Amino acid sequence: MTPGADPTTQASLGDSLAEGWNRDEELPPSDWGRRRSSRRTGTVWLFALFITAMALAHAWLSDSLTSEAFLAWATIFTAISFQALPFLVFGVALSAALTAFVPTSAYERFFPDKANRAVPVAGLSGAVLPGCECASVPIAGSLMRRGVAPGAALTFLLAAPAINPVVMIATAVAFAGQPEMVLGRFGASLLAAVVIGWIWVRFGRADWLRLPVSEHAPGTSKWVIFRDSMVHDMMHAGGYLVVGGLAAASLNVLVPREWLLTVAGMPIVSVLVLALLAILLSICSEADAFVAVSLTDFSPTAKLAFMVIGPMVDLKLIAMQAGMFGWRFAVRFAPLCVVVGLLSTFLIGGLLL
């Protein structure tokens, strides 16, 4: 924002990032974003103390914590964390590589200048790169740092974990003999991602989304930038992944299955319930189709909602997005994803299922 400018007259976020900067200047401007926290050392020590406390508690209490509920909670938390961690590391490494080694000119050639046209390109790009939602968060952040309009970067964030080849193959295997489910998932997820990107281009504001500012001086070695970016993003996103995993595991144990069976016969309610369940369970997109197909009491449209909403918004994603982009972003983006994702599901489900 220009000093002294009236904030009510500012262009939308998509316009300001895609069209408002001079192509000869650095993209994004060096003063865009929030400063890295000076408390990183304290965070590391707190994390170390937390791990130590867990180890001591396990040694002292392992004989007492044997109830089925606790064992189920521990199993689910471990499964979510270990399932997501490899993809998170992949995403962080790719994000750091994009930040360090790919020049801004490469993005200028790949993505159209206009944010509205860059959004569908970013959505279709998500069908190429294998990876889950944990990987897409740091990659989207790196795209924004390199000058890609946030609307396009967020479209990629939503599309990549939902329509990449690995997910499509897993969905086809889970729903063998039901190609309409595979096509429905691809169409509903891509439609929702592109619509959300366009909405963000039109209505998103610069002060809703703040990435940490790069603090590297001009001429810094690319390998140093790669290392620092990877360490910072891993510490940031990894901590929020643990928080999201804890919340998801707790809700997995606390929500009785009988409640789900009660609403399975209600067409509209069942779709909303499975969408909510996808948010709470926080299952990786490569595995969610196998969970959806097991919900035999629910309609195909409800199962589609489970597979569309899950990769767009769940507990671990909300936590990770808040860590990467800030809470002002997360509290607006998550409801937008739910609403547009449900509308897309009802539309595609009504046409195909």
PDB file of all heavy atoms in Angstrom, residues 63-83:
ATOM      1  N   ASP A  63       1.785 -47.860  31.066  1.00  0.00           N
ATOM      2  CA  ASP A  63       0.988 -48.964  31.595  1.00  0.00           C
ATOM      3  C   ASP A  63      -0.423 -48.539  31.963  1.00  0.00           C
ATOM      4  O   ASP A  63      -1.334 -49.363  32.024  1.00  0.00           O
ATOM      5  CB  ASP A  63       1.677 -49.561  32.836  1.00  0.00           C
ATOM      6  CG  ASP A  63       2.990 -50.245  32.475  1.00  0.00           C
ATOM      7  OD1 ASP A  63       3.118 -50.656  31.305  1.00  0.00           O
ATOM      8  OD2 ASP A  63       3.865 -50.338  33.355  1.00  0.00           O
ATOM      9  N   SER A  64      -0.619 -47.230  32.199  1.00  0.00           N
ATOM     10  CA  SER A  64      -1.943 -46.745  32.607  1.00  0.00           C
ATOM     11  C   SER A  64      -2.814 -46.356  31.416  1.00  0.00           C
ATOM     12  O   SER A  64      -4.040 -46.479  31.464  1.00  0.00           O
ATOM     13  CB  SER A  64      -1.785 -45.523  33.532  1.00  0.00           C
ATOM     14  OG  SER A  64      -0.984 -45.863  34.655  1.00  0.00           O
ATOM     15  N   LEU A  65      -2.195 -45.876  30.350  1.00  0.00           N
ATOM     16  CA  LEU A  65      -2.955 -45.376  29.208  1.00  0.00           C
ATOM     17  C   LEU A  65      -3.220 -46.501  28.212  1.00  0.00           C
ATOM     18  O   LEU A  65      -2.642 -46.571  27.130  1.00  0.00           O
ATOM     19  CB  LEU A  65      -2.188 -44.236  28.538  1.00  0.00           C
ATOM     20  CG  LEU A  65      -1.859 -43.048  29.437  1.00  0.00           C
ATOM     21  CD1 LEU A  65      -1.032 -42.022  28.683  1.00  0.00           C
ATOM     22  CD2 LEU A  65      -3.136 -42.411  29.971  1.00  0.00           C
ATOM     23  N   THR A  66      -4.081 -47.402  28.589  1.00  0.00           N
ATOM     24  CA  THR A  66      -4.354 -48.574  27.746  1.00  0.00           C
ATOM     25  C   THR A  66      -5.817 -48.671  27.343  1.00  0.00           C
ATOM     26  O   THR A  66      -6.220 -49.679  26.789  1.00  0.00           O
ATOM     27  CB  THR A  66      -3.947 -49.862  28.486  1.00  0.00           C
ATOM     28  OG1 THR A  66      -4.639 -49.919  29.745  1.00  0.00           O
ATOM     29  CG2 THR A  66      -2.446 -49.896  28.733  1.00  0.00           C
ATOM     30  N   SER A  67      -6.616 -47.658  27.629  1.00  0.00           N
ATOM     31  CA  SER A  67      -8.022 -47.725  27.248  1.00  0.00           C
ATOM     32  C   SER A  67      -8.143 -47.690  25.732  1.00  0.00           C
ATOM     33  O   SER A  67      -7.288 -47.153  25.022  1.00  0.00           O
ATOM     34  CB  SER A  67      -8.794 -46.554  27.857  1.00  0.00           C
ATOM     35  OG  SER A  67      -8.400 -45.345  27.256  1.00  0.00           O
ATOM     36  N   GLU A  68      -9.232 -48.282  25.219  1.00  0.00           N
ATOM     37  CA  GLU A  68      -9.425 -48.345  23.770  1.00  0.00           C
ATOM     38  C   GLU A  68      -9.529 -46.949  23.162  1.00  0.00           C
ATOM     39  O   GLU A  68      -9.020 -46.701  22.063  1.00  0.00           O
ATOM     40  CB  GLU A  68     -10.680 -49.154  23.454  1.00  0.00           C
ATOM     41  CG  GLU A  68     -10.542 -50.644  23.775  1.00  0.00           C
ATOM     42  CD  GLU A  68     -11.766 -51.416  23.324  1.00  0.00           C
ATOM     43  OE1 GLU A  68     -12.671 -50.798  22.712  1.00  0.00           O
ATOM     44  OE2 GLU A  68     -11.824 -52.621  23.581  1.00  0.00           O
ATOM     45  N   ALA A  69     -10.191 -46.034  23.870  1.00  0.00           N
ATOM     46  CA  ALA A  69     -10.352 -44.681  23.331  1.00  0.00           C
ATOM     47  C   ALA A  69      -8.999 -43.988  23.179  1.00  0.00           C
ATOM     48  O   ALA A  69      -8.725 -43.360  22.148  1.00  0.00           O
ATOM     49  CB  ALA A  69     -11.266 -43.863  24.234  1.00  0.00           C
ATOM     50  N   PHE A  70      -8.153 -44.110  24.195  1.00  0.00           N
ATOM     51  CA  PHE A  70      -6.841 -43.462  24.109  1.00  0.00           C
ATOM     52  C   PHE A  70      -5.981 -44.099  23.029  1.00  0.00           C
ATOM     53  O   PHE A  70      -5.296 -43.404  22.274  1.00  0.00           O
ATOM     54  CB  PHE A  70      -6.107 -43.526  25.448  1.00  0.00           C
ATOM     55  CG  PHE A  70      -4.720 -42.956  25.383  1.00  0.00           C
ATOM     56  CD1 PHE A  70      -4.525 -41.583  25.409  1.00  0.00           C
ATOM     57  CD2 PHE A  70      -3.611 -43.785  25.263  1.00  0.00           C
ATOM     58  CE1 PHE A  70      -3.246 -41.043  25.324  1.00  0.00           C
ATOM     59  CE2 PHE A  70      -2.332 -43.252  25.179  1.00  0.00           C
ATOM     60  CZ  PHE A  70      -2.152 -41.887  25.212  1.00  0.00           C
ATOM     61  N   LEU A  71      -6.008 -45.419  22.948  1.00  0.00           N
ATOM     62  CA  LEU A  71      -5.212 -46.085  21.919  1.00  0.00           C
ATOM     63  C   LEU A  71      -5.688 -45.696  20.521  1.00  0.00           C
ATOM     64  O   LEU A  71      -4.880 -45.514  19.607  1.00  0.00           O
ATOM     65  CB  LEU A  71      -5.293 -47.606  22.109  1.00  0.00           C
ATOM     66  CG  LEU A  71      -4.626 -48.152  23.388  1.00  0.00           C
ATOM     67  CD1 LEU A  71      -4.837 -49.651  23.493  1.00  0.00           C
ATOM     68  CD2 LEU A  71      -3.131 -47.821  23.388  1.00  0.00           C
ATOM     69  N   ALA A  72      -7.012 -45.563  20.345  1.00  0.00           N
ATOM     70  CA  ALA A  72      -7.539 -45.130  19.054  1.00  0.00           C
ATOM     71  C   ALA A  72      -7.088 -43.706  18.741  1.00  0.00           C
ATOM     72  O   ALA A  72      -6.687 -43.393  17.607  1.00  0.00           O
ATOM     73  CB  ALA A  72      -9.060 -45.221  19.051  1.00  0.00           C
ATOM     74  N   TRP A  73      -7.158 -42.829  19.758  1.00  0.00           N
ATOM     75  CA  TRP A  73      -6.712 -41.446  19.578  1.00  0.00           C
ATOM     76  C   TRP A  73      -5.241 -41.401  19.183  1.00  0.00           C
ATOM     77  O   TRP A  73      -4.861 -40.702  18.229  1.00  0.00           O
ATOM     78  CB  TRP A  73      -6.927 -40.671  20.876  1.00  0.00           C
ATOM     79  CG  TRP A  73      -6.461 -39.245  20.812  1.00  0.00           C
ATOM     80  CD1 TRP A  73      -7.171 -38.161  20.422  1.00  0.00           C
ATOM     81  CD2 TRP A  73      -5.150 -38.757  21.162  1.00  0.00           C
ATOM     82  NE1 TRP A  73      -6.401 -37.027  20.495  1.00  0.00           N
ATOM     83  CE2 TRP A  73      -5.165 -37.359  20.942  1.00  0.00           C
ATOM     84  CE3 TRP A  73      -3.995 -39.369  21.627  1.00  0.00           C
ATOM     85  CZ2 TRP A  73      -4.047 -36.573  21.179  1.00  0.00           C
ATOM     86  CZ3 TRP A  73      -2.873 -38.574  21.850  1.00  0.00           C
ATOM     87  CH2 TRP A  73      -2.910 -37.188  21.636  1.00  0.00           C
ATOM     88  N   ALA A  74      -4.398 -42.145  19.895  1.00  0.00           N
ATOM     89  CA  ALA A  74      -2.965 -42.142  19.601  1.00  0.00           C
ATOM     90  C   ALA A  74      -2.677 -42.692  18.210  1.00  0.00           C
ATOM     91  O   ALA A  74      -1.822 -42.174  17.479  1.00  0.00           O
ATOM     92  CB  ALA A  74      -2.220 -42.959  20.653  1.00  0.00           C
ATOM     93  N   THR A  75      -3.417 -43.738  17.819  1.00  0.00           N
ATOM     94  CA  THR A  75      -3.214 -44.330  16.495  1.00  0.00           C
ATOM     95  C   THR A  75      -3.585 -43.350  15.389  1.00  0.00           C
ATOM     96  O   THR A  75      -2.853 -43.193  14.404  1.00  0.00           O
ATOM     97  CB  THR A  75      -4.052 -45.617  16.358  1.00  0.00           C
ATOM     98  OG1 THR A  75      -3.646 -46.549  17.364  1.00  0.00           O
ATOM     99  CG2 THR A  75      -3.862 -46.242  14.989  1.00  0.00           C
ATOM    100  N   ILE A  76      -4.722 -42.673  15.549  1.00  0.00           N
ATOM    101  CA  ILE A  76      -5.173 -41.734  14.526  1.00  0.00           C
ATOM    102  C   ILE A  76      -4.225 -40.538  14.420  1.00  0.00           C
ATOM    103  O   ILE A  76      -3.857 -40.113  13.324  1.00  0.00           O
ATOM    104  CB  ILE A  76      -6.609 -41.265  14.829  1.00  0.00           C
ATOM    105  CG1 ILE A  76      -7.574 -42.454  14.714  1.00  0.00           C
ATOM    106  CG2 ILE A  76      -7.031 -40.138  13.893  1.00  0.00           C
ATOM    107  CD1 ILE A  76      -8.963 -42.160  15.238  1.00  0.00           C
ATOM    108  N   PHE A  77      -3.809 -40.003  15.564  1.00  0.00           N
ATOM    109  CA  PHE A  77      -2.882 -38.870  15.543  1.00  0.00           C
ATOM    110  C   PHE A  77      -1.567 -39.253  14.866  1.00  0.00           C
ATOM    111  O   PHE A  77      -1.035 -38.513  14.029  1.00  0.00           O
ATOM    112  CB  PHE A  77      -2.610 -38.385  16.966  1.00  0.00           C
ATOM    113  CG  PHE A  77      -1.470 -37.406  17.064  1.00  0.00           C
ATOM    114  CD1 PHE A  77      -1.579 -36.149  16.498  1.00  0.00           C
ATOM    115  CD2 PHE A  77      -0.283 -37.755  17.698  1.00  0.00           C
ATOM    116  CE1 PHE A  77      -0.523 -35.243  16.559  1.00  0.00           C
ATOM    117  CE2 PHE A  77       0.760 -36.860  17.771  1.00  0.00           C
ATOM    118  CZ  PHE A  77       0.648 -35.602  17.205  1.00  0.00           C
ATOM    119  N   THR A  78      -1.041 -40.430  15.207  1.00  0.00           N
ATOM    120  CA  THR A  78       0.210 -40.887  14.597  1.00  0.00           C
ATOM    121  C   THR A  78       0.031 -41.096  13.097  1.00  0.00           C
ATOM    122  O   THR A  78       0.893 -40.716  12.295  1.00  0.00           O
ATOM    123  CB  THR A  78       0.681 -42.196  15.260  1.00  0.00           C
ATOM    124  OG1 THR A  78       0.814 -41.986  16.672  1.00  0.00           O
ATOM    125  CG2 THR A  78       2.016 -42.640  14.688  1.00  0.00           C
ATOM    126  N   ALA A  79      -1.102 -41.687  12.716  1.00  0.00           N
ATOM    127  CA  ALA A  79      -1.349 -41.947  11.292  1.00  0.00           C
ATOM    128  C   ALA A  79      -1.438 -40.647  10.500  1.00  0.00           C
ATOM    129  O   ALA A  79      -0.853 -40.527   9.414  1.00  0.00           O
ATOM    130  CB  ALA A  79      -2.633 -42.755  11.130  1.00  0.00           C
ATOM    131  N   ILE A  80      -2.173 -39.663  11.037  1.00  0.00           N
ATOM    132  CA  ILE A  80      -2.301 -38.382  10.335  1.00  0.00           C
ATOM    133  C   ILE A  80      -0.944 -37.711  10.193  1.00  0.00           C
ATOM    134  O   ILE A  80      -0.570 -37.238   9.109  1.00  0.00           O
ATOM    135  CB  ILE A  80      -3.272 -37.460  11.089  1.00  0.00           C
ATOM    136  CG1 ILE A  80      -4.712 -37.984  10.969  1.00  0.00           C
ATOM    137  CG2 ILE A  80      -3.190 -36.031  10.553  1.00  0.00           C
ATOM    138  CD1 ILE A  80      -5.710 -37.211  11.797  1.00  0.00           C
ATOM    139  N   SER A  81      -0.167 -37.706  11.259  1.00  0.00           N
ATOM    140  CA  SER A  81       1.122 -37.014  11.243  1.00  0.00           C
ATOM    141  C   SER A  81       2.104 -37.682  10.286  1.00  0.00           C
ATOM    142  O   SER A  81       2.742 -37.022   9.454  1.00  0.00           O
ATOM    143  CB  SER A  81       1.712 -36.967  12.656  1.00  0.00           C
ATOM    144  OG  SER A  81       0.846 -36.269  13.526  1.00  0.00           O
ATOM    145  N   PHE A  82       2.231 -39.011  10.386  1.00  0.00           N
ATOM    146  CA  PHE A  82       3.202 -39.706   9.552  1.00  0.00           C
ATOM    147  C   PHE A  82       2.741 -39.788   8.104  1.00  0.00           C
ATOM    148  O   PHE A  82       3.562 -39.839   7.192  1.00  0.00           O
ATOM    149  CB  PHE A  82       3.477 -41.107  10.116  1.00  0.00           C
ATOM    150  CG  PHE A  82       4.467 -41.106  11.235  1.00  0.00           C
ATOM    151  CD1 PHE A  82       4.054 -40.962  12.544  1.00  0.00           C
ATOM    152  CD2 PHE A  82       5.826 -41.212  10.983  1.00  0.00           C
ATOM    153  CE1 PHE A  82       4.969 -40.942  13.591  1.00  0.00           C
ATOM    154  CE2 PHE A  82       6.754 -41.182  12.015  1.00  0.00           C
ATOM    155  CZ  PHE A  82       6.333 -41.047  13.323  1.00  0.00           C
ATOM    156  N   GLN A  83       1.435 -39.827   7.881  1.00  0.00           N
ATOM    157  CA  GLN A  83       0.928 -39.838   6.512  1.00  0.00           C
ATOM    158  C   GLN A  83       1.199 -38.507   5.823  1.00  0.00           C
ATOM    159  O   GLN A  83       1.549 -38.454   4.641  1.00  0.00           O
ATOM    160  CB  GLN A  83      -0.571 -40.136   6.521  1.00  0.00           C
ATOM    161  CG  GLN A  83      -1.200 -40.261   5.136  1.00  0.00           C
ATOM    162  CD  GLN A  83      -2.700 -40.470   5.218  1.00  0.00           C
ATOM    163  OE1 GLN A  83      -3.405 -39.715   5.882  1.00  0.00           O
ATOM    164  NE2 GLN A  83      -3.195 -41.504   4.559  1.00  0.00           N
TER     165      GLN A  83
END
